[in-house]
Amino acid sequence: MASNWIKQKSWSSEDECLDAIPDDWEARQVESIYTQQDIGRRYDKKSTKSAGATPVVDQSADGFIGWHDSEPGVVATAEDPVVTFANHTCEMRLVRHPFSVIQIVFPLKGKIDDCDTRYFYYSTKGIVHLEEYKGHYPQFRERWIGLPPLSEQKAIGNILGTLDDKIELNRKTNETFEAMAKALFKSWFVDFDPVRAKAEGRPTGLPAEISDLFPDSFEDSELGEIPSGWCIDSIYAVASVVYGAPFSSSLFNGDGSGIPVARIRDLPGESPGVYTTEVHTKGTLILPGDIVVGMDGEFRAYLWGGEECWMNQRVCKFIPGKKGRTCFVRESIRKPLLDVEMSETATTVIHLGKGDIDGFRVVVPTQEILDIFSAATTPLYEEVVANKQQTRVLANIRDALLPKLVSGEIRILDAEKMLEEVGV
């Protein structure tokens, strides 16, 4: 998203641009290298649905406000993508499927035989950033950038696009793996599908040696009906909880000195924004594969795929015990976290406290079933974390190459050689 994208070079005049780019490139004002696309019907929150045939692009960090079932306002494909620019937030996206937009999102394509659309995207994303809630489109249009020959534009777009394609593939793969793990947890420990099947005399669909481990009846509990022989217990039966330390914000820095610090705001992107040289006596490190939860605002159980970092105050992590394992613990705390969030929606800021966590109650099956569940889900989680780490490396390579490629500091052959050296 634009807020996390590197700030790119652009110039306020043709002469400034010419002085900075290679001799065989042109200096061009941004508004001269694209065509604005027709958008059809404009949508807003009230005119969209939670699901449908066509997504509606908005200007948020998430990218979509909803869906509709009418004809898309803008046609885009993988071979012929469209760039969107959000007037107020400066968010830019390269969209490769049909879509519609809200009123203040502009769909743009590079001019035919003049500017490659992917090059347009990479060379202009980040040249203007959110300064205040105002229209940034005029500022975007008036900036000057370097425009290489069309063949070089396409090559630059291909190099950077290859990195982004791999990042997107990792994201989709992780979505699939996490959905698989979540579905298995829900089937076994929420809906109790194998137990219900046995109770009703139906096949469980599981191998006999696994099916035999599930009971064939239910009993009452404080949380309702659960399989016979299972129990309701504290979250501490399957995990321990460690809380972050109050690192001094006056010692935070952005130049990479010391060790990164994960604050609540850093959890969604799994990318700490500050560092510290402070070594707090109660400091705890977050490691790849940890379950991390922010304790103010929305409560989400993140499977950390970022770098090793300190855990700041108002952040905690759940450490699986012998009975837990990562996936079981993470899925078990989703509902209790949501219950706390929903129970305090009337407050200005929602807080999660140790007292709330002390009250978390979870369904605990036998150790044999937990071990089988862990054997099925641990490889999925390990792959998710590995993909997140690879994505971080790929994004760093892209962010290092991008400004140098679109300014002519590095040329195509050198960039291709760099990618070969890192196996991309």
Side-chain angles (χ1 to χ4, degrees):
M1 58 187 181
S3 57
N4 289 337
W5 195 264
I6 55 175
K7 291 186 177 181
Q8 292 217 72
K9 290 181 180 178
S10 64
W11 296 269
S12 58
S13 71
E14 182 177 16
D15 288 342
E16 286 181 355
C17 185
L18 285 172
D19 287 342
I21 62 176
D23 293 339
D24 59 334
W25 288 25
E26 294 182 64
R28 296 285 293 274
Q29 203 162 20
V30 170
E31 67 179 355
S32 74
I33 61 174
Y34 69 80
T35 56
Q36 188 169 321
Q37 306 298 293
D38 293 334
I39 65 172
R41 176 185 172 184
R42 296 180 177 90
Y43 286 81
D44 55 27
K45 186 65 176 178
K46 292 181 179 179
S47 56
T48 60
K49 305 184 298 182
S50 60
T54 303
V56 179
V57 176
D58 70 355
Q59 59 175 358
S60 69
D62 293 333
F64 298 98
I65 195 173
W67 301 76
H68 68 81
D69 290 320
S70 302
E71 289 295 316
V74 184
V75 176
T77 65
E79 297 75 24
D80 189 20
V82 173
V83 176
T84 60
F85 180 87
N87 192 32
H88 291 157
T89 63
C90 305
E91 292 287 352
M92 291 182 67
R93 289 178 173 77
L94 188 69
V95 187
R96 304 182 182 192
H97 49 73
F99 64 98
S100 294
V101 296
I102 65 172
Q103 184 172 0
I104 50 180
V105 172
F106 304 102
L108 315 168
K109 288 175 63 173
K111 283 189 175 178
I112 296 175
D113 298 327
D114 187 23
C115 181
D116 177 68
T117 297
R118 286 203 298 181
Y119 178 82
F120 168 70
Y121 168 72
Y122 286 114
S123 62
T124 61
K125 182 172 181 176
I127 63 172
V128 291
H129 276 254
L130 175 61
E131 299 166 355
E132 57 181 296
Y133 200 74
K134 65 176 185 179
H136 291 81
Y137 192 42
Q139 178 188 2
F140 173 76
R141 297 176 65 190
E142 68 185 16
R143 301 301 295 173
W144 290 77
I145 65 166
L147 193 69
L150 190 59
S151 59
E152 192 169 352
Q153 294 176 40
K154 293 180 181 294
I156 291 172
N158 183 62
I159 289 171
L160 298 172
T162 297
L163 293 167
D164 273 340
D165 287 347
K166 177 57 178 172
I167 290 171
E168 178 64 10
L169 177 61
N170 284 348
R171 185 190 67 79
K172 290 182 176 179
T173 300
N174 282 358
E175 281 187 351
T176 299
F177 285 165
E178 292 201 49
M180 290 168 61
K182 187 174 184 178
L184 185 61
F185 178 88
K186 184 175 184 294
S187 175
W188 285 15
F189 306 123
V190 177
D191 297 334
F192 310 124
D193 289 334
V195 181
R196 294 194 187 284
K198 293 181 73 172
E200 296 170 4
R202 296 183 288 104
T204 64
L206 299 171
E209 62 272 19
I210 297 177
S211 182
D212 289 345
L213 297 175
F214 285 89
D216 58 6
S217 62
F218 292 89
E219 60 186 47
D220 291 332
S221 79
E222 62 189 89
L223 295 182
E225 193 177 61
I226 63 170
S228 299
W230 293 14
C231 69
I232 303 298
D233 210 335
S234 161
I235 185 62
Y236 301 118
V238 295
S240 58
V241 183
V242 178
Y243 299 89
F247 285 90
S248 175
S249 59
S250 64
L251 298 177
F252 289 168
N253 70 82
D255 59 15
S257 299
I259 296 175
V261 182
R263 303 158 296 175
I264 291 176
R265 74 188 74 174
D266 301 318
L267 300 186
E270 300 178 24
S271 179
V274 295
Y275 290 72
T276 185
T277 54
E278 179 183 5
V279 180
H280 200 286
T281 55
K282 296 183 179 180
T284 299
L285 289 172
I286 300 174
L287 306 177
D290 281 347
I291 305 167
V292 190
V293 176
M295 301 177 69
D296 294 321
E298 295 181 332
F299 312 130
R300 302 291 181 265
Y302 295 98
L303 180 65
W304 188 257
E307 61 186 310
E308 184 176 305
C309 58
W310 291 120
M311 183 166 60
N312 200 35
Q313 62 184 342
R314 304 302 300 158
V315 177
C316 66
K317 71 174 181 177
F318 288 73
I319 304 174
K322 181 180 178 181
K323 288 186 177 181
R325 313 299 173 82
T326 303
C327 183
F328 182 82
V329 171
R330 186 185 181 207
E331 293 302 327
S332 292
I333 64 176
R334 286 189 193 272
K335 186 177 186 302
L337 286 172
L338 181 60
D339 288 344
V340 174
E341 182 177 321
M342 297 303 292
S343 69
E344 300 185 16
T345 52
T347 62
T348 303
V349 179
I350 311 168
H351 300 287
L352 174 70
K354 182 180 182 300
D356 296 309
I357 296 174
D358 289 345
F360 284 7
R361 307 288 286 172
V362 298
V363 177
V364 183
T366 63
Q367 188 63 53
E368 291 85 356
I369 290 177
L370 276 174
D371 289 343
I372 291 172
F373 178 78
S374 177
T377 57
T378 295
L380 297 177
Y381 265 33
E382 289 175 345
E383 190 67 24
V384 167
V385 173
N387 285 341
K388 288 181 176 182
Q389 293 178 308
Q390 184 189 59
T391 290
R392 191 172 69 253
V393 171
L394 293 171
N396 288 339
I397 294 172
R398 179 202 62 203
D399 292 349
L401 282 177
L402 191 156
K404 296 180 178 181
L405 279 171
V406 300
S407 67
E409 182 179 342
I410 288 181
R411 306 309 288 264
I412 300 301
L413 291 179
D414 292 330
E416 291 176 339
K417 184 177 180 180
M418 289 175 63
L419 294 183
E420 289 177 3
E421 291 174 352
V422 296
V424 178

